[in-house]
Amino acid sequence: MIISDDMQMQAITAHYSLEQAVYRAIMAGVDILTFGNNMVYDANITSHVAHIIKKLVPQERIEQSYQ
């Protein structure tokens, strides 16, 4: 199982949009994404990320992570 560091830290947000960062992390093998949600507060971060995953990540990749 692979767990990310904070997906909202500047090392990521300076180079990638939220959508790009989530997609790239999952496709690179990350199983659990973490969001400190304190540097750039988003009350709906969970909904936003779930929407990105549903829209961009193939079901096979989600199943692979689940297994």
Side-chain angles (χ1 to χ4, degrees):
M1 179 185 336
I2 300 172
I3 302 171
S4 76
D5 199 343
D6 183 359
M7 295 295 293
Q8 293 173 312
M9 64 186 189
Q10 189 174 9
I12 296 171
T13 61
H15 301 284
Y16 303 102
S17 67
L18 177 62
E19 191 170 274
Q20 291 172 324
V22 167
Y23 175 77
R24 286 173 173 251
I26 292 172
M27 296 309 290
V30 174
D31 300 301
I32 298 174
L33 302 172
T34 59
F35 293 85
N37 207 26
N38 58 358
M39 298 197 58
V40 179
Y41 181 72
D42 180 350
N44 298 309
I45 191 67
T46 305
S47 298
H48 290 153
V49 172
H51 176 73
I52 292 167
I53 293 169
K54 289 176 186 176
K55 183 172 89 173
L56 297 178
V57 178
Q59 186 64 33
E60 298 82 31
R61 176 62 189 97
I62 295 169
E63 285 296 322
Q64 177 189 31
S65 186
Y66 175 77
Q67 294 303 321

